[in-house]
Amino acid sequence: EMSSLSDFAEIKILQGLAPVLTAPTIDVSTSAIDTSPYQGFAFEFNVGVSLDTLSGSLYHTLKVMECATSGGVYTAVADADILGIYVEGVKVSSGSNSYIIDAAAEDPVTVLFVFRPSLRYVEGKDDVTGTHTNGTPLSINFIGRTGASALNA
């Protein structure tokens, strides 16, 4: 059965981070996103092929951050509030607020975090470990649902 457009009327997608080549040693975060209009929450990380050789000492950690104010200090969303992490559409974990990419076989990849924030503002973050010489293509989208039957219901 084919979906209708009304099935998607309550879903809003916001570009949190436009496609960019990450800087070699700098963590990358989205702009602050106000969750107050939404009932369901997800971040989609689109990671391209790393231009460096990833390893146990040179890697990316994807995570979801939150804060009470848009310009405040962001902290990681509690592990218990991560409802699921999906890699290429397959649930790989829940109850853990990190997904590590540390090998060439792990990118390019799309990773979706479905979560329930405790605070009003959220960010998606790529926490870079090691000195990446060349960087990695990355974009991050926020997906929110405004209706009662939310992503995290």
Side-chain angles (χ1 to χ4, degrees):
E1 178 178 325
M2 196 152 193
S3 297
S4 69
L5 287 176
S6 63
D7 293 338
F8 299 94
E10 296 175 337
I11 295 174
K12 305 295 181 205
I13 300 174
L14 305 174
Q15 187 176 60
L17 177 69
V20 64
L21 182 63
T22 61
T25 58
I26 299 172
D27 296 343
V28 178
S29 296
T30 66
S31 54
I33 296 174
D34 182 354
T35 63
S36 64
Y38 306 103
Q39 302 297 315
F41 314 94
F43 269 112
E44 175 193 49
F45 293 80
N46 297 295
V47 182
V49 175
S50 178
L51 301 176
D52 298 296
T53 302
L54 301 177
S55 67
S57 61
L58 189 70
Y59 58 92
H60 299 270
T61 304
L62 309 179
K63 57 179 77 173
V64 179
M65 311 295 284
E66 65 183 353
C67 187
T69 61
S70 65
V73 176
Y74 283 75
T75 57
V77 169
D79 287 348
D81 292 332
I82 302 298
L83 305 176
I85 297 175
Y86 297 79
V87 175
E88 302 298 338
V90 177
K91 188 173 185 177
V92 296
S93 72
S94 60
S96 173
N97 186 8
S98 66
Y99 183 78
I100 295 174
I101 300 170
D102 62 359
E106 297 171 356
D107 66 6
V109 68
T110 298
V111 180
L112 183 75
F113 282 69
V114 178
F115 63 101
R116 180 179 30 246
S118 298
L119 301 172
R120 181 173 177 172
Y121 294 90
V122 295
E123 291 181 344
K125 182 176 183 180
D126 177 8
D127 190 2
V128 180
T129 299
T131 301
H132 296 242
T133 305
N134 300 301
T136 301
L138 174 71
S139 69
I140 306 172
N141 295 318
F142 172 80
I143 303 167
R145 183 155 186 175
T146 58
S149 57
L151 292 169
N152 65 356

